[in-house]
């Protein structure tokens, strides 16, 4: 067993509650356990089951990673922690530019400092995005839980760990179907997993600075992955704040509230409205999600 620690200084106005809410979505607490001042999350570290313990203390985030065997790189733990906390997102520049905007100003004032919580790995973000295509957050949480139980990759603490591409790639469409995936989603999940496992999609390597346009092009070539899935995965997995989530039902509903419209705008209208806020379209969508306070954020 290998345990490593790191301590990250948080910016003024950091919102721990957003991070905790993101990891509290599954009430059965099989893979993430949120309580008090932090959370525990099962994940794979260098291919081995591990438990991440994250605690918030007066302007700091203290991380402890307990891996079942293997070594530990404190620098890599800090990089992962900073991504998960959204600390690489330049939200201050966005807020300076739009705090006086007639529509965004109120959203920003209500949630100043809002950042988008990110997943531990880009693969986890993509797996969640595929799982959540065209269904409610509650339904996606249930299917995700069944997938984790199907793979049954556990840390010694008992926490389930989100499978990596290699573990998902060996499953069959029938197995994923039994977990609740449609045939189309099963095909997409397996195509993604197999391409990531064999190196055709170097998801982790892209963290070092690949252009979002290149990542998008490569991901859109995977059967069953469309623009919404790519924009969501780029946001949650890579912290890219300019994906257009105009196809998201919750985004459209919240935008209708902001505009005072009787009905939610359609996708074309939402896309046109978000376009004015490039390169911050996905961050604007996050503020709209937060307006609804509905687990999608």
């Amino acid at each position: 067993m290998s345990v490593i620690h790191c301590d990250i200084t948080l910016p003024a106005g950091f919102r721990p509650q957003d991070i905790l809410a993101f990891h509290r979505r599954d009430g059965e607490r099989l893979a993430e356990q949120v309580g008090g001042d932090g959370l525990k999350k099962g994940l794979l570290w260098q291919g081995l089951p591990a438990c991440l313990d994250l605690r918030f203390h007066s302007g700091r985030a203290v991380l402890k990673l307990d891996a079942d065997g293997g070594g530990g790189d404190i620098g890599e733990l800090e990089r992962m922690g900073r991504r998960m906390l959204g600390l690489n997102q330049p939200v201050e520049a966005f807020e300076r530019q739009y705090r006086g905007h007639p529509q965004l100003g109120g959203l920003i004032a209500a949630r100043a400092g809002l950042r988008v919580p990110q997943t531990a790995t880009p693969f986890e973000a993509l797996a969640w995005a595929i799982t959540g295509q065209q269904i409610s957050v509650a339904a996606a949480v249930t299917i995700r839980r069944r997938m984790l139980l199907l793979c049954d990759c556990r840390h010694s603490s008992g926490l389930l760990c989100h499978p990596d591409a290699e573990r998902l790639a060996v499953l069959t469409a029938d197995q994923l179907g039994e977990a609740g995936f449609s045939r189309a989603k099963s095909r997409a999940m397996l195509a993604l997993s197999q391409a990531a496992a064999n190196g055709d999609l170097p998801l982790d390597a892209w963290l070092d600075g690949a252009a979002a346009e290149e990542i998008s092009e490569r991901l859109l070539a995977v059967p069953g992955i469309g623009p919404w899935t790519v924009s969501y995965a780029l946001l949650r997995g890579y912290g890219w704040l300019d994906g257009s989530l105009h196809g998201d039902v919750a985004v459209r509903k919240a935008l209708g509230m902001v505009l005072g419209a009787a009905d939610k705008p359609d996708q074309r209208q939402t896309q046109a409205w978000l376009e004015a806020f490039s390169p911050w379209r996905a961050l604007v969508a996050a503020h709209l999600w937060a307006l609804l306070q509905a687990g999608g954020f």
Side-chain angles (χ1 to χ4, degrees):
M1 188 175 293
S2 174
V3 180
I4 55 175
H5 304 76
C6 75
D7 194 317
I8 299 174
T9 300
L10 300 173
F14 184 83
R15 297 168 52 89
Q17 65 269 33
D18 295 335
I19 306 300
L20 300 180
F22 178 63
H23 293 283
R24 195 185 284 119
R25 292 173 299 177
D26 191 346
E28 294 199 13
R29 295 161 50 92
L30 300 181
E32 294 92 9
Q33 297 177 348
V34 176
D37 61 355
L39 63 93
K40 291 184 178 181
K41 174 180 172 62
L43 52 81
L44 292 175
W45 178 261
Q46 300 177 346
L48 298 171
C51 173
L52 174 67
D53 187 295
L54 168 62
R55 302 289 147 184
F56 294 107
H57 300 289
S58 58
R60 296 160 40 239
V62 179
L63 284 71
K64 178 177 74 173
L65 189 97
D66 180 353
D68 287 341
D73 182 331
I74 295 174
E76 180 55 33
L77 175 62
E78 181 174 354
R79 286 188 289 274
M80 181 180 72
R82 294 186 65 84
R83 289 197 308 271
M84 292 178 68
L85 298 171
L87 296 180
N88 300 326
Q89 301 166 18
V91 301
E92 297 86 359
F94 165 76
E95 293 184 358
R96 283 195 301 271
Q97 183 172 353
Y98 289 109
R99 64 167 56 104
H101 189 275
Q103 292 157 338
L104 289 188
L107 295 178
I108 292 171
R111 295 170 185 83
L114 184 145
R115 300 169 186 272
V116 180
Q118 292 177 228
T119 52
T121 66
F123 180 75
E124 184 178 349
L126 275 157
W128 172 257
I130 291 172
T131 304
Q133 290 171 348
Q134 299 181 325
I135 60 175
S136 69
V137 173
V141 165
T142 297
I143 295 172
R144 175 184 183 265
R145 182 192 310 132
R146 292 172 181 167
M147 179 188 72
L148 297 183
L149 287 167
L150 175 64
C151 294
D152 196 26
C153 178
R154 293 179 185 268
H155 180 252
S156 55
S157 65
L159 279 175
L160 285 170
C161 303
H162 193 286
D164 54 15
E166 289 75 12
R167 285 170 171 81
L168 270 175
V170 299
L171 299 180
T172 66
D174 287 341
Q175 287 176 302
L176 288 174
E178 291 173 1
F181 287 88
S182 67
R183 297 299 293 184
K185 289 184 182 180
S186 296
R187 288 193 294 270
M189 188 71 80
L190 291 175
L192 168 72
S193 301
Q194 291 160 5
N198 67 25
D200 288 345
L201 292 176
L203 301 179
D204 290 341
W206 287 340
L207 286 168
D208 292 333
E213 292 76 16
E214 176 191 351
I215 299 173
S216 297
E217 182 179 354
R218 298 280 295 278
L219 291 177
L220 287 170
V222 178
I225 291 183
W228 178 89
T229 302
V230 170
S231 290
Y232 185 90
L234 283 170
L235 175 63
R236 290 291 193 200
Y238 294 94
W240 189 53
L241 300 180
D242 196 33
S244 183
L245 289 157
H246 56 276
D248 190 281
V249 174
V251 167
R252 290 166 52 208
K253 180 179 179 181
L255 178 57
M257 294 168 58
V258 168
L259 299 179
D263 298 310
K264 63 177 178 287
D266 61 25
Q267 292 193 34
R268 180 186 58 78
Q269 293 168 324
T270 304
Q271 182 177 21
W273 188 84
L274 288 171
E275 184 62 38
F277 303 107
S278 183
W280 309 103
R281 290 174 293 175
L283 184 55
V284 172
H287 276 274
L288 293 171
W289 277 331
L291 177 64
L292 295 182
Q293 296 295 313
F297 175 62

